Amino acid sequence: DSVYRKAITIANPLGEDFSIMRTVSLNGMLTSLATNFNRKNKVARLYEFGNVYLPKQLPLTELPEERMKLTIGMYGEGDFFNLKGVIEELFDNLGMKNICTYVPTTEHPFLHPGRQANVLYQDKVIGYLGEVHPKVCANYGMKERTYIAVVDMPAVMEFVSFDKKYEGIAKFPAATRD
């Protein structure tokens, strides 16, 4: 009954792997992480911007909702709290000065049940993060703890502030010694 299983079937796909429109951006990220892991890279930290397509109803009677997602994945050095710091740094650079909160959840079946949380900003869910479930990692041939964060970019854009002030380049270079 998961909303992630309500995918749109493509009429003329290029292959079985591309026969549906994705409802979650996890597959591409885990495939890239697994490729790095299988090539003996000890540490990987990747990101991806991509669209997901959420149908209002199936069969389709109108265009699906298209949402841009930022997916961040990592394994090796780092853990849940490092990924949380990456999210907070991103929000700070986007001008989101209020503190975001993290609410533990179990609504994402591909994440470890005790190690996942929704990211809230001003009481609105704008993403989630957590450790990928060990069974999911095993399906991708990974034996390393893997962490994923997904941020819904249209939801984030409501809170972004681009109030950055331009400072010109100094006319004379800095001198540390006269």
Side-chain angles (χ1 to χ4, degrees):
D1 296 334
S2 175
V3 69
Y4 301 125
R5 293 205 174 265
K6 297 176 181 162
I8 302 165
T9 306
I10 297 175
N12 191 10
L14 294 174
E16 188 178 346
D17 291 344
F18 303 105
S19 63
I20 61 171
M21 297 177 83
R22 67 184 186 171
T23 57
V24 66
S25 59
L26 195 67
N27 183 44
M29 179 56 66
L30 287 178
T31 301
S32 297
L33 288 171
T35 300
N36 279 281
F37 181 78
N38 292 327
R39 292 190 177 154
K40 309 291 187 228
N41 290 326
K42 291 181 171 54
V43 178
R45 294 178 180 203
L46 306 174
Y47 74 94
E48 171 193 2
F49 280 102
N51 291 329
V52 296
Y53 304 91
L54 306 171
K56 295 174 177 85
Q57 65 181 10
L58 288 175
L60 284 178
T61 56
E62 58 183 311
L63 291 174
E65 181 181 6
E66 186 175 343
R67 309 248 342 147
M68 174 68 70
K69 301 283 184 173
L70 166 63
T71 308
I72 303 170
M74 61 186 272
Y75 71 82
E77 295 173 3
D79 59 4
F80 180 89
F81 298 104
N82 290 103
L83 187 58
K84 185 177 153 196
V86 169
I87 296 294
E88 290 174 358
E89 181 76 20
L90 170 71
F91 292 163
D92 187 50
N93 287 329
L94 289 174
M96 299 167 63
K97 298 301 179 192
N98 292 341
I99 297 173
C100 57
T101 56
Y102 302 89
V103 178
T105 183
T106 58
E107 67 185 69
H108 307 289
F110 43 82
L111 295 178
H112 196 289
R115 299 177 187 151
Q116 60 179 289
N118 283 334
V119 181
L120 278 74
Y121 190 81
Q122 295 182 358
D123 297 328
K124 182 176 181 181
V125 176
I126 58 173
Y128 58 89
L129 73 155
E131 182 181 334
V132 178
H133 199 285
K135 288 182 181 178
V136 175
C137 284
N139 287 341
Y140 284 90
M142 296 178 59
K143 297 177 181 131
E144 187 84 29
R145 284 189 169 188
T146 305
Y147 301 92
I148 295 285
V150 178
V151 178
D152 186 32
M153 293 312 290
V156 168
M157 292 307 288
E158 295 176 21
F159 305 109
V160 170
S161 170
F162 293 109
D163 292 338
K164 299 274 183 179
K165 191 166 189 161
Y166 171 74
E167 293 181 16
I169 299 173
K171 193 172 187 179
F172 302 103
T176 55
R177 181 177 167 194
D178 285 334

